[in-house]
Amino acid sequence: MAVTITTPRPVTFPSNGIPIAGHLYTPSSSAPDRKGAAIVVGHPMNGVKEQTAGLHARKLAEHGFVTLAFDAAYQGESGGEPRYLEDPAQRAEDARAAVTYLTTLTEGEPKVDPKKIGALGICASGGYIPFAAQTDLRMRAIATVSAACLGSVARSGIKYTSAAITAATLTQNLNYANALRTEEARGGAHGKPQLAPVMPDPHALPPGLPSSSAEGAQYYRTPRGQHERSVNMTVARSVDLQANYDSFAFVGMLAPRPLLMVVGEKADTAYFSEEAFKRAGNGAVELFVVEGKTHVGLYDGLEESLPKLVRFFGENLV
């Protein structure tokens, strides 16, 4: 019997005083009864809730979970200035705020059991959500897909690829970010922050580009995953908010709660999940490798990852 799914309901909730826009997915009556289990779903850097986060939220709802995909602060339909700032501290707070919102849904439809809330992070949110969960024990089960730590990316680039950077380059980037702050304060560019593109033109890719960037350009800037509110821009000075951030330094704090890290066999970002898996120690942590998949290939290729995520949340939340 085919499972029908209701249209997601637009919702808004606060995060550090910033209104966060979300899509709340309610399972249909024909979906499995998960007894109030719910999952927050965070999107990648440069993404919005209607892209891979929304796809994962919808598919998980079809399997009986209440799900909440949301736009991070400064992104999409959420509030916050300056637009397109990428701030790890705020991103982690957005995840906590999403959990807080779900805990208020104890009456009516959908009804959420506050003791059965999990979290799923994709790409950059695969770093932000485990980071938030280290101190937010309401996240009872944590999963990532193609996890990445933007702090590490700011410090080192994508390691083992042509996009790796040196400490000297990091210093240059920080000096540039600091100079942009001064320029804004002095009214340069009308006091507005300078924006920088995230992904290159998919029709003019530089040679030797890491696959995560090359396929990312194809996902975000073609009909494959393109969305009008995913504008392919970030505040250029965001790097000085990211460079001393580490998603996984204290990943062991998640124990004894379960952690599932889904990674593509061909992902050039696989080392993030592999290193986090080792750091997590003896907790209930699993590294699930999907053969043949790249970093971005898991954004919309859910044939193997979705059943694994459904089992993981079903076993650990219900």
Side-chain angles (χ1 to χ4, degrees), residues 207-287:
L209 197 67
S211 64
S212 54
S213 298
E215 193 177 1
Q218 197 274 335
Y219 179 84
Y220 285 108
R221 303 189 65 181
T222 75
R224 175 180 171 185
Q226 196 169 36
H227 191 276
E228 61 183 352
R229 287 189 290 274
S230 177
V231 300
N232 194 48
M233 289 289 175
T234 189
V235 173
R237 61 172 170 78
S238 296
V239 65
D240 70 6
L241 299 173
Q242 301 164 0
N244 59 346
Y245 161 77
D246 193 321
S247 301
F248 304 117
F250 298 100
V251 69
M253 291 177 66
L254 295 177
R257 290 169 294 161
L259 169 65
L260 170 66
M261 307 193 82
V262 179
V263 63
E265 175 198 15
K266 296 183 178 180
D268 53 22
T269 56
Y271 67 91
F272 287 115
S273 297
E274 293 165 353
E275 292 175 4
F277 173 77
K278 293 176 183 177
R279 278 186 176 182
N282 295 322
V285 57
E286 180 180 359
L287 182 67

Side-chain angles (χ1 to χ4, degrees), residues 13-49:
F13 53 92
S15 176
N16 274 344
I18 297 172
I20 301 298
H23 279 169
L24 183 68
Y25 292 80
T26 301
S28 71
S29 59
S30 60
D33 180 9
R34 302 292 182 177
K35 304 185 186 305
I39 304 165
V40 298
V41 185
H43 63 69
M45 177 186 176
N46 190 43
V48 291
K49 63 186 179 300

Side-chain angles (χ1 to χ4, degrees), residues 121-165:
I122 304 164
C123 187
S125 281
Y128 295 138
I129 278 182
F131 178 80
Q134 289 162 24
T135 57
D136 193 333
L137 307 186
R138 299 172 301 172
M139 300 184 198
R140 303 303 176 100
I142 301 94
T144 67
V145 172
S146 298
C149 172
L150 281 197
S152 175
V153 173
R155 291 186 295 273
S156 305
I158 304 296
K159 295 180 182 178
Y160 320 117
T161 74
S162 61
I165 67 171

